[in-house]
Amino acid sequence: MKEDCGVSLATPPSGEIDCAFAAGQHLFDEELSQLKGKIYGMLVFPKLVLSNFPTNLKEGVNDLFTTSQPVTSSSSELITSSQESSSSSASKISSCNSGEYLSDSGCVSKTICAFICKAGDSCSCSSQCESCVVHSTGTKCISCGSGLYLHEGECHEDCSKFPGTNPTGFEFVGRECVPIGASKIVPPLPQFEVSPGSTTTDRVCQNVTQCLAGSWLKAEATASTDRDCIRCPSGYSDHDADPKSPCVICTKGQYMAAGSTGPCQDCPEGTIDSDGIPATECLPCSQGRYVPVGKTGTCENKEFLCKEGFVDHDRNASTPCIACSIPGLSVPEGSSGDCNDYQCEPGTVDIDGLPSTPCQACDGVENFQDLSGQRRCKSVTPCGPGSEEMEGPT
């Protein structure tokens, strides 16, 4: 009989044969067209494809074993008639036990969706383990008890056996050997069942959702449902960045965007909480006023306007108004810009020297003022003998 490299096996060559196969009863024929009888076994050379295996076998051949793809193992495998019998019997199985499904190779245990097991639960972790993840291939510790340190799913007295790691954690429970430069080890996520499978398909599992900071774990996952993570809405905050604790509501004069963490934030200077609802953004106010942090109401509230004698020097409602101290001014409420912009006009004077009071007019008969920013009116010069007044004072 010919093998796939073209060497005749009618007279087997001496020494090692690197690409031959042998198959039960047969009639030798140069063209391999007379192969008959039952094939009881085949010697498979894993690194080779038997591409020249005869395809025109005559009647009487049954239960043929063959290979169509290269195999990666390094040793040969003998498929025997007993394996043939086992394969045939597997195909005759009609049902499997509970927790199994029927595959091409027979009954197979269904995948176990990973779940967290804690000390005292009906499930079982190792004696040194405080909690572990249970899955199809066994258990993996995620937290050690008794002051032990966790490293790659096992508990140890210290981290001295693991160079390149640092011991972390000072609690009695929760110590770890963490690689230098790395953050705390994130344990594997538990799973929930998406589909229980059937008599012929495996169970389908999915990792539970990891609730992030800025959200609230409303409901923990069950065996068949995912976690219910609720993003903190506007006006609420995940104050401690821990999804296990509920979002807290903020108060008037504050605003928090959805998904925020940390303390609730007051409306900054220059803005106002116009509706007293922390879910809506604080509104900016215009110049001529100063609005302190965390204020409610409207920007037009009198309390926010720069008082008489003060100006919003930078035209910015987030900075305090400053007092004008030079004489010759009258600065009204809600003013902005430079103090010199509010000098008393010609014909008026700052009699009291207070920028918070109005300028007083000269009478235009006995006194006048032709300059701006002055404190006193000028006396009118009388016309002397032989003079005539051509224009009166103003």
Side-chain angles (χ1 to χ4, degrees), residues 70-231:
V71 187
T72 56
S73 61
S74 59
S75 61
S76 300
E77 176 183 355
L78 180 61
I79 302 177
T80 65
S81 58
S82 61
Q83 288 174 308
E84 173 193 11
S85 174
S86 173
S87 176
S88 298
S89 61
S91 63
K92 296 178 182 178
I93 298 175
S94 60
S95 63
C96 297
N97 295 327
S98 176
E100 297 179 333
Y101 70 97
L102 183 61
S103 70
D104 293 340
S105 59
C107 292
V108 180
S109 295
K110 288 186 176 181
T111 298
I112 298 175
C113 296
F115 64 93
I116 302 294
C117 176
K118 298 181 179 180
D121 292 348
S122 57
C123 49
S124 178
C125 298
S126 65
S127 59
Q128 298 176 323
C129 191
E130 183 72 16
S131 61
C132 63
V133 174
V134 181
H135 46 80
S136 294
T137 58
T139 63
K140 184 174 183 178
C141 189
I142 57 174
S143 177
C144 298
S146 305
L148 299 177
Y149 288 84
L150 177 68
H151 181 69
E152 296 184 352
E154 296 182 352
C155 299
H156 305 271
E157 292 184 358
D158 53 45
C159 301
S160 59
K161 298 180 180 178
F162 312 109
T165 65
N166 282 330
T168 63
F170 300 97
E171 301 85 357
F172 187 69
V173 175
R175 299 180 180 182
E176 294 178 342
C177 299
V178 178
I180 296 174
S183 58
K184 187 176 178 67
I185 298 172
V186 178
L189 290 174
Q191 299 175 318
F192 67 97
E193 182 182 272
V194 177
S195 170
S198 66
T199 57
T200 57
T201 59
D202 194 6
R203 177 181 287 112
V204 179
C205 303
Q206 181 177 312
N207 288 345
V208 301
T209 299
Q210 187 173 9
C211 296
L212 303 177
S215 64
W216 169 46
L217 176 58
K218 182 178 181 180
E220 187 55 87
T222 67
S224 58
T225 61
D226 195 6
R227 282 174 176 161
D228 187 7
C229 299
I230 304 297
R231 189 185 187 201

Side-chain angles (χ1 to χ4, degrees), residues 331-361:
V331 185
E333 181 183 66
S335 298
S336 60
D338 192 274
C339 289
N340 285 319
D341 295 339
Y342 300 94
Q343 291 182 354
C344 291
E345 297 179 352
T348 64
V349 292
D350 177 19
I351 294 178
D352 59 9
L354 299 176
S356 60
T357 57
C359 301
Q360 301 297 317

Side-chain angles (χ1 to χ4, degrees), residues 23 31 65 82 93 134 212 249-250 260 280 297 324 335 343 355 393-394:
E31 297 301 325
F65 291 86
S82 61
I93 298 175
V134 181
L212 303 177
I249 190 170
C250 302
S260 298
T280 55
C324 295
S335 298
Q343 291 182 354
T394 59

Side-chain angles (χ1 to χ4, degrees), residues 3-48:
E3 47 79 57
D4 68 324
C5 293
V7 178
S8 175
L9 295 184
T11 305
S14 60
E16 183 178 353
I17 302 174
D18 62 352
C19 53
F21 67 83
Q25 302 179 36
H26 55 272
L27 295 177
F28 289 104
D29 185 90
E30 200 62 21
E31 297 301 325
L32 295 177
S33 60
Q34 300 298 320
L35 187 58
K36 294 183 178 180
K38 182 169 182 156
I39 297 177
Y40 290 99
M42 180 180 294
L43 185 62
V44 178
F45 290 79
K47 295 183 179 180
L48 301 172

